[in-house]
Amino acid sequence: MFRLPFFLFFLLLIPMRAPLAAETDPQPREYLWSVVPQFSPTAVHRDWTPLLEELSRRTGYRFRLLPASGFDEFERALFNGGYDFVYANPYQTLLAHRKQGYIPLVRDEQRRLTGILVVRKDSPYQSPRDLDGKTIAFASPNAFAVSLYMRAMLREQEGIDFTPLWAGTHSNAYRAVLLGRADASGGIYRTLEKEPPSARHLLRIVYNLPSTITHAVSAHPRVPESVRQEVQLTLLDLAQSEQGRRLLSAVFLPQPIAADFERDYRPLASLNLDDYVVLPR
Amino acid sequence: MTRFWRRLSLHRQLVVASTLLLLLTLMATTAWNLQSQRRQLIDEATDKAHSLAQSTALAARSLLVRESYDDLESLLLQLALYPDLMELAVLDADGRILADVLQSPEGPQPVYERLTRTLPSSLSERSVSGLTRHQGDVLILWQPVRTSTLLGWVLLKIDLGPVEKRIAQALRDNLMVAAAATLIDLMVLLMVLWWPGRSFRAAIDFAQRMTAHPGQTLDVRGGSREVAELVDALNQASIDLAQQHSRLEDMNRRLEQRVEERTRDLQRSQLSLKRLHLAVSQSQMALVLLDEQLNIEEANPAFESMTGHAIESVIGQELFRLIWSSKNTPKLLDELIDHLKQGRYWQGEVTLRRANGFRFWVKLAVTTIQPEGEGEHLGFLLTMEDISERKEYEKQLIQQANFDALTGLPNRVLGFDRLQQAMRMGQRQNRKTAVMYLDLDRFKQVNDTLGHRVGDLLLIEVANRLKQCMRPYDVVARLSGDEFLIVLSGVEDPVTVEHVAEKILHVLSQPFTVEKRDLHVGASIGVSVIPDDGEDPEEILRYADTAMYQAKQAGRNCFKYYTQSMNEEAQRRLQLDSALHLALEQDEIELYLQPIVSCGQGKIVGAEALMRWQSEALGSISPEQFIPIAEENGLIDELGAWILDRACRELAGMPELEFVTVNVTSSQFRIIDFADRVHAVLDRYRLPASRLHLEITERVLMTDQRVVLDNIQGLQEKGIGLVIDDFGTGYSSLSYLSRFPCHALKIDRSFIARMVEDASAEALVDAIIHMSHALGVRIIAEGVETQRQWDMVCSKGTDLVQGFLIAGALEVDAFRRRLQQHSTASGGTDDEERD
């Protein structure tokens, strides 16, 4: 009996609310957020969406995740300033700052980035020198530890020549070794640990790089200072709660601290890796 | 098999058939179902596998092109969640493995051990449609991944084992359901068929039993309509059968009963005939069958023995001519024959003649033998009962009833009858009739002393003498004992009567010699005359009795005519008699005591207890008057007991008195426990037996009756003294003094009175005293009235004296006073106290 009047009341309410919301937030900002394609876009989406939703809930800003399907696509967008916020490897962070002025906000305190070279366990390769003239898979040309730093170290320190195979992602690089399409693959401990046990057991590490600083969350300079700071503080604050730590751990930021470009990332320029950078076309 | 099946009950057949049918049906359905289900399941699984393979191939296409093998692995891991999948792999066209996921217990796992797989040889031709193969329970699919060219293959292995398991499970389930359904069907069938089956069984049993127990009904309900109808029909049949059975039995029983009755009747009639024959032949009664002419046709043995005629010799003879006695009343035979001719029954007592001529009495009964229903009679039946003995006995009875057995004289009844006859005759002839009442004098003494036999012989002789001196038509009858009645009829003058009376007195005064003894009796006769004294025979007889009593009073052996005054005296006697009955009750009898003193000192030593009757109606009556009456009417025993009790009571109150004597009559001695009764009185007053003396007459001692002798002996054993009273008046035989030792003798007052003048009396007294002393018996002289008599008896040695000289009978108080005086001053006489 009274359901019809009730329903009519709501009908009246709906068109009234829209202009109200527009008035209170005249510029509803949505910030684009992307992540270095170490993993497949599906895995990226899976790991990052919960964190961004929590961040939106706490800050009131909206973040849209734009996972890149490969390093090319990612770096092109990044170096053109296509993302408001980005999670990128240390050298990308350095290049992004140099090209667009991206400002690192948060990095993990403890974790270090260590590049490794893996082969199939049943292969005869015991050292990097055994791989002279062989095919070595890399996630991408510009991936910092696994590719830039590794290629530079293999050519300049070990003195071997090799054919690179651009696999697109870390896991695909590992699979190139597993499926016999490459003799070795560059990688890092963090991504190797994420491989299924059956895969890990069939891989053997033949070479370690020196540890370097890890990835950072950076913001484009067009993002207002207040928003940058709020996002930085919120990410740091998340580590205070168990739920927050779980969300951070999924994206390899279990112990976040504030990042500082000059202190943390400018030193990477001294590695002289620019020759090895393959810029997107 | 068929036989076995036929032996099963319908119930079981139904159950077995139904169960088997159901089982078969369920099995067939299950098998068909499962088969089609299995096929369907496999088809489904194959279709789904194809879909999966196609989907995988489609999804893998771009990844192959991009060589994105990690994404390919992720895809396969996701798709490998498909149920029953064993392996999912993607290979390039040369058979190199690009991604391979195997099912493991933890879930799908990528494997990297192998780098290549051998492609089936037929695969190249099937690069468009792919290949489907079955290896055991495993379904293997090869699906090409293509763009314009063949990129590679998707390998899919599906385990069809679960399908088989599901089929097996379904089979188990179906079998369970089948079993359950069969079981339920079995139970339902059993339940549904149980009642009818049971009822059927009961009905069959019932039907089998029905003939043995018709009428029983089966009370079985339930089951089904057919069973109920069957049971109802059986019950109805049973009832019908029972009814028919019962009718048959009833008929049978009646038949048997009739046969039994007939048999019994026959037996009974045979028996009865036999018995009748035996009864007739053994009967004490003579039975004769006569024909119409009264000729003998048959007779029984009793007839022969009764009449003395042999049966064979008399058949055909006329019965009455043969045995009829001429002694019978002349017309009796004619009367009898008349009766018979009219067909009537005749019965009577007749005299018949025996073959030897002797006559005998019979009770004769003659009946016409009439056939049952109408018809001529068949002759006569004659029965004869010998009643000679009875006739003789009757004669004796008449004699005994009317005649005195002892004397043969008419008895009181006949005598009285004759008196009445004589009186009537006298009235007719206008003549007088004299009635004499005769009583023998002293007959009682004869009877008491010599016994009844002598008395009886005497009476016979008296009767004979009386008959001899009477005219034939005079009546002499014995009334009782020694009393006789004599009726003189047709008396013309008193002289005749007197003559006869004197003659009788004379005849009877003559001595009778009985058993060599001469007995002297006389008679007293009272005479009354009809019609002078009265016309009522009983009254006249009583008057004669009264006159007789007067004659006795007048000194016996004489006769007296009845006078009116006699009647009055007789009346007085009657009055006395009745008054005496009341005397004791009304306390009219008194105790008197007459002192008995010792000769020597004259001291009162004893007393004789005497009675006085002061009647309120009749005045003072002396013992001489009432004692005989009491003896006649039997009150004497009561009086005797009374005086004994009173005397003892007084004696107990007088310790100075030595003894009391109490008179006892012969009738008291005939009381069986008399001695005990006396002793009981002594006990009652705590008296020693020696203080009581009983006075008895000589006649008591002379009897030889057992009871009297026992009582005397009993008294003596108890120490009660006996005093013989009136000694000298009777037979005075001293011999019994030795037999019955007594305490004292009382010399009769008549001797005391006479001995002063009569020397013989004096001599007798002397003799008595001497003899008594010799026997140690004391002497009491009674009736001492004068000093002369006192002197004489005392001088002769008499111990004790009693008489008016000392004192008459005194009232108890007076006696007690006298006793007290004597105890102080003894001796002497007191005339003043004379009675």
Side-chain angles (χ1 to χ4, degrees):
Chain A
M1 258 308 181
F2 51 79
R3 265 176 71 177
L4 186 63
F6 205 66
F7 179 64
L8 287 173
F9 176 74
F10 271 100
L11 278 181
L12 286 171
L13 276 180
I14 292 164
M16 281 168 70
R17 206 183 176 287
L20 267 175
E23 272 174 45
T24 47
D25 193 3
Q27 289 179 304
R29 273 308 300 271
E30 185 184 70
Y31 298 105
L32 295 177
W33 192 306
S34 194
V35 174
V36 58
Q38 290 168 297
F39 304 104
S40 68
T42 316
V44 168
H45 191 269
R46 179 192 66 205
D47 295 338
W48 281 92
T49 308
L51 177 70
L52 294 185
E53 281 177 355
E54 179 64 17
L55 207 57
S56 279
R57 201 181 60 77
R58 293 199 182 200
T59 60
Y61 308 119
R62 292 169 61 191
F63 301 99
R64 192 152 70 92
L65 182 65
L66 282 175
S69 54
F71 272 88
D72 278 358
E73 183 189 331
F74 175 72
E75 286 174 352
R76 195 186 308 124
L78 178 64
F79 300 151
N80 289 323
Y83 306 125
D84 295 321
F85 289 92
V86 70
Y87 174 77
N89 67 40
Y91 207 74
Q92 284 166 340
T93 304
L94 176 70
L95 291 177
H97 180 76
R98 204 182 281 167
K99 292 183 186 294
Q100 287 285 336
Y102 277 90
I103 303 154
L105 297 177
V106 171
R107 67 169 176 92
D108 193 79
E109 187 187 16
Q110 294 291 323
R111 294 186 75 95
R112 304 291 293 175
L113 199 58
T114 308
I116 51 171
L117 195 63
V118 296
V119 294
R120 262 186 83 106
K121 193 175 263 178
D122 52 7
S123 71
Y125 314 120
Q126 298 299 326
S127 70
R129 292 176 200 280
D130 296 335
L131 293 166
D132 190 30
K134 303 292 179 188
T135 303
I136 299 176
F138 301 100
S140 74
N142 298 336
F144 172 60
V146 297
S147 183
L148 281 176
Y149 197 19
M150 178 65 72
R151 278 187 287 124
M153 289 299 279
L154 287 175
R155 285 188 197 279
E156 292 174 16
Q157 291 285 325
E158 300 300 324
I160 60 163
D161 195 17
F162 54 86
T163 306
L165 174 70
W166 309 118
T169 62
H170 284 238
S171 54
N172 213 25
Y174 295 138
R175 261 151 202 79
V177 176
L178 289 168
L179 299 173
R181 290 161 45 80
D183 299 303
S185 166
I188 56 172
Y189 277 107
R190 204 173 59 197
T191 55
L192 184 63
E193 281 162 11
K194 278 205 130 183
E195 285 298 315
S198 56
R200 265 186 283 141
H201 289 146
L202 272 177
L203 294 173
R204 178 156 50 86
I205 298 170
V206 291
Y207 182 65
N208 283 304
L209 288 179
S211 294
T212 64
I213 199 159
T214 59
H215 296 45
V217 174
S218 301
H220 197 277
R222 70 170 169 268
V223 177
E225 173 80 31
S226 60
V227 176
R228 290 200 307 263
Q229 280 180 3
E230 206 176 341
V231 169
Q232 184 184 36
L233 289 173
T234 304
L235 287 171
L236 297 173
D237 196 42
L238 272 172
Q240 303 306 309
S241 69
E242 179 66 29
Q243 185 216 1
R245 272 198 299 278
R246 205 160 51 240
L247 294 171
L248 292 170
S249 294
V251 295
F252 307 104
L253 280 168
Q255 289 171 301
I257 57 165
D260 180 53
F261 181 76
E262 295 301 329
R263 182 193 65 199
D264 298 331
Y265 294 97
R266 191 169 299 278
L268 296 176
S270 62
L271 292 175
N272 292 317
L273 302 176
D274 288 345
D275 294 342
Y276 295 94
V277 172
V278 178
L279 286 172
R281 287 151 290 179
Chain B
M1 186 65 193
T2 317
R3 196 181 294 169
F4 171 74
W5 179 251
R6 278 178 190 160
R7 272 215 304 274
L8 288 180
S9 65
L10 180 63
H11 180 198
R12 282 182 187 159
Q13 285 177 346
L14 274 172
V15 170
V16 169
S18 152
T19 308
L20 281 176
L21 195 65
L22 186 70
L23 259 178
L24 281 174
T25 310
L26 284 171
M27 296 293 233
T29 326
T30 303
W32 187 82
N33 265 343
L34 287 178
Q35 192 55 41
S36 64
Q37 206 176 334
R38 181 169 177 274
R39 202 159 45 234
Q40 197 181 334
L41 279 172
I42 289 172
D43 288 352
E44 259 175 36
T46 312
D47 289 350
K48 282 182 181 174
H50 274 293
S51 305
L52 180 64
Q54 280 164 8
S55 305
T56 309
L58 211 59
R61 198 166 55 183
S62 64
L63 298 176
L64 286 190
V65 172
R66 278 167 38 204
E67 297 180 353
S68 182
Y69 302 121
D70 54 345
D71 281 342
L72 181 64
E73 189 184 293
S74 294
L75 175 70
L76 293 193
L77 281 171
Q78 294 294 320
L79 293 174
L81 294 169
Y82 183 84
D84 305 334
L85 183 132
M86 293 169 76
E87 186 178 5
L88 185 60
V90 178
L91 298 89
D92 65 13
D94 301 323
R96 281 185 300 205
I97 293 172
L98 300 179
D100 189 359
V101 171
L102 280 178
Q103 197 65 257
S104 80
E106 291 85 29
Q109 291 289 336
V111 291
Y112 309 100
E113 279 81 3
R114 293 168 66 182
L115 296 177
T116 56
R117 282 189 99 108
T118 314
L119 297 176
S121 54
S122 56
L123 204 59
S124 55
E125 298 123 47
R126 294 187 165 269
S127 60
V128 176
S129 61
L131 179 69
T132 306
R133 282 206 323 211
H134 285 277
Q135 262 181 12
D137 280 347
V138 182
L139 177 69
I140 302 171
L141 292 182
W142 291 93
Q143 182 69 34
V145 184
R146 301 177 63 91
T147 51
S148 51
T149 57
L150 181 69
L151 291 178
W153 297 95
V154 171
L155 169 65
L156 181 67
K157 285 188 182 175
I158 295 280
D159 182 13
L160 291 180
V163 171
E164 298 298 338
K165 270 185 203 158
R166 277 166 66 189
I167 293 299
Q169 182 63 43
L171 177 65
R172 271 200 300 278
D173 289 351
N174 274 346
L175 285 179
M176 293 267 282
V177 167
T182 309
L183 198 67
I184 288 166
D185 169 73
L186 197 64
M187 277 163 65
V188 169
L189 264 181
L190 283 173
M191 271 159 57
V192 169
L193 290 178
W194 189 77
W195 269 108
R198 190 165 160 275
S199 305
F200 261 125
R201 192 66 249 165
I204 289 163
D205 287 347
F206 175 69
Q208 287 170 343
R209 283 199 321 267
M210 191 158 72
T211 48
H213 304 283
Q216 281 189 353
T217 54
L218 182 65
D219 188 19
V220 171
R221 286 278 153 259
S224 64
R225 188 164 55 83
E226 290 86 346
V227 176
E229 283 174 4
L230 175 65
V231 169
D232 285 346
L234 281 174
N235 280 343
Q236 188 53 48
S238 174
I239 289 163
D240 291 350
L241 191 65
Q243 282 172 355
Q244 286 178 4
H245 198 84
S246 140
R247 274 201 295 275
L248 270 175
E249 270 189 351
D250 199 35
M251 205 181 288
N252 212 20
R253 198 161 48 240
R254 267 183 290 167
L255 271 172
E256 278 178 7
Q257 207 171 335
R258 279 171 66 180
V259 168
E260 202 176 311
E261 271 171 19
R262 294 256 171 106
T263 311
R264 204 161 49 229
D265 283 353
L266 204 63
Q267 284 174 345
R268 205 187 292 139
S269 68
Q270 280 176 346
L271 187 66
S272 122
L273 210 61
K274 194 173 169 187
R275 272 161 61 187
L276 190 62
H277 183 75
L278 285 171
V280 166
S281 66
Q282 290 172 11
S283 170
Q284 293 304 306
M285 198 179 272
L287 294 166
V288 186
L289 285 175
L290 302 178
D291 65 10
E292 300 256 12
Q293 286 72 43
L294 304 175
N295 294 324
I296 297 171
E297 284 188 325
E298 276 186 65
N300 69 346
F303 175 82
E304 188 173 324
S305 63
M306 203 178 282
T307 61
H309 290 291
I311 296 165
E312 304 79 41
S313 64
V314 294
I315 300 294
Q317 294 197 43
E318 194 184 331
L319 175 74
F320 293 117
R321 191 173 290 170
L322 191 69
I323 59 172
W324 192 258
S325 166
S326 54
K327 281 272 178 183
N328 289 311
T329 317
K331 304 238 166 167
L332 190 60
L333 187 59
D334 294 340
E335 181 196 317
L336 192 163
I337 291 168
D338 274 354
H339 263 84
L340 293 182
K341 283 186 175 161
Q342 290 165 28
R344 283 157 61 193
Y345 174 75
W346 189 91
Q347 174 181 297
E349 293 177 354
V350 299
T351 315
L352 296 181
R353 200 175 62 237
R354 256 187 243 274
N356 60 12
F358 284 112
R359 278 185 288 275
F360 62 106
W361 275 96
V362 291
K363 183 175 175 185
L364 185 72
V366 190
T367 326
T368 313
I369 302 171
Q370 203 74 38
E372 282 176 45
E374 296 298 310
E376 284 285 306
H377 63 81
L378 302 169
F380 307 98
L381 172 68
L382 181 136
T383 65
M384 293 188 295
E385 187 184 357
D386 193 335
I387 55 167
S388 301
E389 276 182 25
R390 200 190 85 200
K391 282 281 177 190
E392 193 59 37
Y393 184 61
E394 276 175 7
K395 214 164 132 190
Q396 280 177 17
L397 275 182
I398 290 162
Q399 185 74 15
Q400 280 166 10
N402 292 296
F403 292 87
D404 174 39
L406 184 66
T407 59
L409 290 177
N411 61 11
R412 173 182 280 272
V413 179
L414 186 59
F416 194 74
D417 191 52
R418 296 274 165 86
L419 168 61
Q420 283 173 318
Q421 284 180 15
M423 192 185 77
R424 284 197 292 274
M425 193 181 286
Q427 282 167 343
R428 281 200 296 273
Q429 294 174 353
N430 209 16
R431 288 183 176 184
K432 295 184 180 180
T433 305
V435 175
M436 290 185 181
Y437 206 109
L438 185 147
D439 187 276
L440 293 180
D441 298 333
R442 288 190 289 277
F443 177 73
K444 204 171 181 213
Q445 289 175 13
V446 172
N447 236 5
D448 286 351
T449 55
L450 300 175
H452 291 288
R453 214 176 68 82
V454 173
D456 287 351
L457 293 171
L458 178 62
L459 285 171
I460 291 167
E461 191 54 34
V462 167
N464 287 335
R465 289 192 190 177
L466 282 174
K467 280 195 268 188
Q468 282 166 11
C469 63
M470 287 294 129
R471 294 172 297 178
Y473 47 88
D474 290 334
V475 175
V476 179
R478 187 181 174 204
L479 294 177
S480 69
D482 59 346
E483 291 174 336
F484 294 89
L485 168 69
I486 295 154
V487 180
L488 304 176
S489 50
V491 174
E492 285 170 355
D493 62 306
V495 182
T496 318
V497 177
E498 284 162 22
H499 273 303
V500 174
E502 278 169 357
K503 187 176 170 187
I504 290 167
L505 288 175
H506 175 73
V507 167
L508 297 183
S509 64
Q510 299 303 307
F512 290 88
T513 307
V514 178
E515 295 200 322
K516 296 171 184 174
R517 243 184 239 263
D518 278 352
L519 298 176
H520 292 271
V521 291
S524 299
I525 298 171
V527 183
S528 59
V529 178
I530 300 168
D532 295 359
D533 294 324
E535 302 220 12
D536 178 46
E538 281 183 40
E539 215 171 79
I540 284 295
L541 197 59
R542 202 167 66 241
Y543 291 163
D545 186 10
T546 307
M548 184 276 288
Y549 191 77
Q550 286 302 313
K552 287 264 187 207
Q553 297 294 95
R556 303 174 172 172
N557 208 24
C558 62
F559 75 90
K560 288 280 182 191
Y561 275 104
Y562 169 76
T563 64
Q564 192 59 36
S565 61
M566 280 180 202
N567 191 31
E568 283 163 7
E569 199 182 325
Q571 292 299 323
R572 180 175 160 78
R573 277 166 57 85
L574 282 172
Q575 285 172 351
L576 279 178
D577 188 304
S578 58
L580 188 57
H581 279 95
L582 295 170
L584 275 172
E585 287 173 26
Q586 293 174 348
D587 219 7
E588 288 178 350
I589 308 287
E590 276 185 277
L591 176 73
Y592 273 64
L593 295 169
Q594 187 175 31
I596 297 171
V597 301
S598 63
C599 262
Q601 296 165 314
K603 182 190 170 188
I604 298 178
V605 295
E608 180 178 1
L610 297 165
M611 283 183 281
R612 289 287 183 273
W613 179 15
Q614 189 63 40
S615 168
E616 194 184 344
L618 305 168
S620 178
I621 296 147
S622 70
E624 286 75 22
Q625 278 186 295
F626 72 79
I627 291 297
I629 292 171
E631 279 179 339
E632 280 179 28
N633 65 17
L635 278 173
I636 191 68
D637 291 347
E638 216 175 309
L639 285 171
W642 179 84
I643 194 170
L644 183 68
D645 185 86
R646 289 298 314 275
C648 286
R649 190 204 299 176
E650 296 306 333
L651 181 62
M654 299 172 186
E656 60 270 53
L657 201 62
E658 191 185 311
F659 65 89
V660 161
T661 69
V662 178
N663 288 283
V664 181
T665 64
S666 59
S667 72
Q668 282 177 283
F669 266 95
R670 282 195 284 271
I671 298 167
I672 286 173
D673 60 344
F674 177 64
D676 294 333
R677 289 188 192 188
V678 173
H679 199 253
V681 175
L682 287 172
D683 276 353
R684 193 180 307 150
Y685 299 108
R686 297 192 170 77
L687 287 172
S690 59
R691 291 183 73 194
L692 177 66
H693 297 168
L694 298 181
E695 290 192 24
I696 53 176
T697 60
E698 289 173 82
R699 265 191 289 161
V700 174
L701 290 179
M702 286 166 72
T703 186
D704 51 1
Q705 284 179 288
R706 186 80 243 159
V707 61
V708 174
L709 298 177
D710 286 348
N711 275 327
I712 289 169
Q713 196 179 348
L715 291 168
Q716 283 180 339
E717 281 170 4
K718 290 182 169 70
I720 298 163
L722 292 178
V723 175
I724 297 175
D725 199 10
D726 301 340
F727 191 80
T729 56
Y731 293 89
S732 303
S733 167
L734 287 170
S735 64
Y736 53 75
L737 290 179
S738 60
R739 273 169 65 201
F740 306 108
C742 59
H743 192 265
L745 290 179
K746 257 189 182 175
I747 298 169
D748 192 70
R749 64 180 67 239
S750 60
F751 292 105
I752 304 300
R754 277 191 286 157
M755 77 180 179
V756 179
E757 293 112 27
D758 189 344
S760 66
E762 190 184 348
L764 189 60
V765 171
D766 277 342
I768 292 168
I769 291 170
H770 274 106
M771 211 180 313
S772 300
H773 282 170
L775 290 167
V777 174
R778 290 213 283 187
I779 295 295
I780 302 171
E782 65 173 346
V784 175
E785 295 177 356
T786 63
Q787 190 61 44
R788 179 83 186 280
Q789 287 170 342
W790 169 276
D791 293 343
M792 275 183 78
V793 291
C794 284
S795 65
K796 288 179 190 300
T798 303
D799 304 282
L800 302 164
V801 176
Q802 176 187 2
F804 285 118
L805 181 66
I806 300 115
L810 299 174
E811 285 183 73
V812 173
D813 288 344
F815 178 84
R816 194 174 286 122
R817 280 199 299 279
R818 175 66 74 88
L819 186 62
Q820 283 160 3
Q821 283 170 16
H822 268 259
S823 63
T824 50
S826 61
T829 61
D830 187 351
D831 291 341
E832 286 174 5
E833 292 292 338
R834 282 193 186 170
D835 198 301

